[in-house]
Amino acid sequence: MNILLLGSGGREHALAWKIAQSPKLTKLFIAPGNPGMAELGECVNLKVSDFPAIGQFALDHNIQMLVVGPENPLVDGIADYFHQTPGLNRIGVIGPSKSGARLEGSKDFAKAFMQRHGIPTARYQTFDTAQLKEGLKFLSTLEPPYVLKADGLCAGKGVLILPTLKEARKELEEMLGGMFGLASAQVVIEEYLDGIECSVFVLTDGQHYKILPEAKDYKRIGEYDCGLNTGGMGSVSPVPFATPEWMQKVEDRIVRPTVEGLAQEGIDYKGFIFFGLINVKGDPMVIEYNCRMGDPETETVMPRLSCDLVELLEGVIAGDLDRREISFDPRAAVNVMLVSGGYPQEYQKGFPIGGLDQLDDAIVFHSGTAIKDGQLVTAGGRVISVTCYGRDKDDALARAMANAQKIQYTARYYRRDIGRDL
Ligand SMILES: Nc1ncnc2c1ncn2[C@@H]1O[C@H](COP(=O)(O)OP(=O)(O)OP(=O)(O)O)[C@@H](O)[C@H]1O
Ligand SMILES: [Mg+2]
């Protein structure tokens, strides 16, 4: 079959890498893709927000499956566009409808959904611009630190954790006053949960589900989680505290109620669900949902799947995911992200990247690269990453470090502690 994958980052490169291994694949197209993905399929210059152009391309190239990498087109309704457009409605879409994507697109919707279905999450209340006073009052009933979340999509910047009531009050005022535009016209205030985070990924056809390998990502720029937040500096899978007993709790208390809740509410959901979890004294609680895979978690989750991903995706479309086989690679995988010096603040681009031909047993995923005058160059804050397997996470990290060291460009930076805290 012909598959069209939307997106251009490391997450999509990892999806493309896995899809390209499938015997079921005839041709893979990626829009817009990146130079790394160009080795796996044909990159086509389409914007992920231009639904009519994507639809026309799909018709012209006999696409049978559309895999949506990033959240924005899902929240904006790309699945509905395909389902409702004659000709395109025969194409299977991996990604939920607009109503399903509200799990990520609206923090208030997600919290209310969890409450309706008894899914463990932090206590919360939502306030709009007319309810500043009530919001300030609710804040004073909570213990520090304070968690404020803009309701809508903010590219990972809409959550503030404030150490004092004074700062929380000030930020609440600014958020409701339009700090994130319409996205913060409503703000969720919730209880702070103390624990270690873990990301669990599920594929669902709306009725059945398969749980993929779990992973932990590393968000801060500095080692041992200090400094500013980034798009993600690396990931590890499996996660040692996600024992079979813990994962059973996740399935019983969180995954199954979520999939059943979506079905009960008549919400069309065929695709990935990303459960951002936190381990609170041995019990998993939900921090957030996303309606797509994570980046850079996908860069370790895909390498740890030893079955055919396209076989599973076919099950999602056909509604018979229960009859498809999933299997995991028993090895540990660690992904290390190489970034541009200065990121996540100001940084320079356009430096030549060398050393990729020197790597040993590494899987390379491109995040922000470009080709300039025939040369691969840096083109983003997060540039390129390496995933290595190992006997355990420390062995995988050592191999990833040896390979990261060989990739050369000006002002290269990466963390050397991915997975070390676990
Ligand atoms: N209730 C909470 N208690 C403690 N920490 C929290 C809480 N809610 C959020 N956080 C922290 O803030 C981070 C971001 O929150 P959340 O995942 O809801 O935001 P997001 O902007 O949707 O993130 P992403 O870009 O990962 O999708 C979490 O990964 C977690 O570290
Ligand atoms: Mg999110």
Side-chain angles (χ1 to χ4, degrees):
M1 82 164 82
N2 291 338
I3 298 180
L4 173 59
L5 169 65
L6 297 186
S8 61
R11 166 182 53 210
E12 288 79 18
H13 191 171
L15 289 168
W17 172 82
K18 191 66 188 163
I19 289 170
Q21 295 168 16
S22 174
K24 293 173 180 270
L25 181 72
T26 311
K27 181 151 186 194
L28 175 63
F29 296 91
I30 310 130
N34 69 34
M37 285 187 258
E39 293 169 16
L40 303 167
E42 185 178 330
C43 294
V44 287
N45 194 11
L46 293 170
K47 283 207 189 81
V48 301
S49 55
D50 190 348
F51 301 170
I54 294 165
Q56 192 57 51
F57 181 89
L59 290 177
D60 293 346
H61 294 81
N62 192 24
I63 299 297
Q64 277 114 19
M65 185 189 286
L66 176 74
V67 182
V68 185
E71 63 275 17
N72 287 93
L74 292 166
V75 171
D76 293 340
I78 193 166
D80 312 72
Y81 180 81
F82 269 66
H83 299 327
Q84 289 158 12
T85 307
L88 297 181
N89 53 9
R90 293 177 292 106
I91 300 173
V93 179
I94 301 297
S97 63
K98 190 171 184 162
S99 70
R102 281 180 301 169
L103 281 187
E104 173 164 7
S106 167
K107 298 275 188 204
D108 176 57
F109 175 83
K111 295 295 288 191
F113 177 90
M114 287 186 261
Q115 210 164 49
R116 284 198 291 283
H117 299 285
I119 295 164
T121 189
R123 192 163 67 91
Y124 84 106
Q125 275 187 42
T126 303
F127 301 92
D128 65 23
T129 40
Q131 297 169 306
L132 175 62
K133 246 170 78 192
E134 291 88 334
L136 293 172
K137 203 166 141 202
F138 181 62
L139 272 178
S140 60
T141 69
L142 299 174
E143 300 286 319
Y146 302 88
V147 182
L148 305 183
K149 300 187 171 186
D151 177 55
L153 289 186
C154 290
K157 297 189 165 55
V159 173
L160 301 180
I161 301 191
L162 293 321
T164 66
L165 185 59
K166 192 170 163 221
E167 285 162 279
R169 291 173 63 99
K170 177 170 158 287
E171 295 293 348
L172 178 65
E173 229 167 294
E174 288 188 10
M175 281 174 100
L176 288 174
M179 178 157 132
F180 298 106
L182 272 183
S184 66
Q186 286 194 86
V187 173
V188 169
I189 303 180
E190 69 179 35
E191 215 170 38
Y192 181 84
L193 300 174
D194 204 6
I196 307 183
E197 289 174 65
C198 175
S199 305
V200 169
F201 302 93
V202 160
L203 254 179
T204 180
D205 60 13
Q207 297 255 277
H208 318 100
Y209 58 82
K210 293 279 189 222
I211 300 178
L212 308 180
E214 79 285 352
K216 182 177 189 292
D217 77 331
Y218 291 78
K219 280 258 159 23
R220 303 296 190 94
I221 188 72
E223 285 173 9
Y224 297 97
D225 281 321
C226 60
L228 294 171
N229 254 319
T230 70
M233 297 297 292
S235 67
V236 56
S237 176
V239 176
F241 68 76
T243 59
E245 296 72 35
W246 196 79
M247 288 302 287
Q248 193 62 52
K249 291 183 193 173
V250 171
E251 180 169 1
D252 294 341
R253 300 175 188 178
I254 294 169
V255 174
R256 194 176 315 113
T258 298
V259 173
E260 286 178 358
L262 289 167
Q264 256 172 39
E265 296 190 18
I267 295 171
D268 176 25
Y269 204 113
K270 285 177 178 294
F272 294 101
I273 313 177
F274 168 151
F275 297 81
L277 306 180
I278 189 160
N279 184 18
V280 182
K281 300 191 182 90
D283 289 320
M285 296 182 73
V286 180
I287 290 275
E288 65 150 350
Y289 290 114
N290 293 308
C291 62
R292 36 80 192 175
M293 289 295 292
D295 191 347
E297 291 100 324
T298 311
E299 288 93 314
T300 48
V301 172
M302 287 301 133
R304 289 208 56 238
L305 269 186
S306 54
C307 57
D308 180 0
L309 177 64
V310 176
E311 165 80 10
L312 294 178
L313 299 181
E314 274 185 342
V316 169
I317 306 288
D320 63 4
L321 195 54
D322 55 326
R323 281 185 263 149
R324 312 283 173 150
E325 286 299 317
I326 186 166
S327 56
F328 295 6
D329 191 308
R331 290 173 292 175
V334 165
N335 173 267
V336 172
M337 185 66 66
L338 283 71
V339 304
S340 299
Y343 172 78
Q345 292 174 291
E346 248 176 77
Y347 58 85
Q348 287 182 289
K349 301 192 253 195
F351 297 120
I353 301 170
L356 293 179
D357 52 349
Q358 308 292 312
L359 307 187
D360 290 316
D361 293 327
I363 313 169
V364 173
F365 297 120
H366 292 227
S367 292
T369 66
I371 301 283
K372 202 172 106 196
D373 306 324
Q375 162 73 48
L376 188 71
V377 297
T378 65
R382 294 195 298 165
V383 174
I384 200 164
S385 70
V386 285
T387 294
C388 290
Y389 293 109
R391 288 184 306 278
D392 54 30
K393 64 180 177 62
D394 294 321
D395 182 38
L397 176 64
R399 292 166 194 270
M401 287 296 98
N403 282 297
Q405 178 62 30
K406 293 181 192 163
I407 300 177
Q408 299 290 338
Y409 59 86
T410 304
R412 178 199 67 186
Y413 170 76
Y414 55 87
R415 276 178 64 167
R416 284 162 293 176
D417 65 330
I418 304 302
R420 292 297 288 278
D421 58 326
L422 294 170

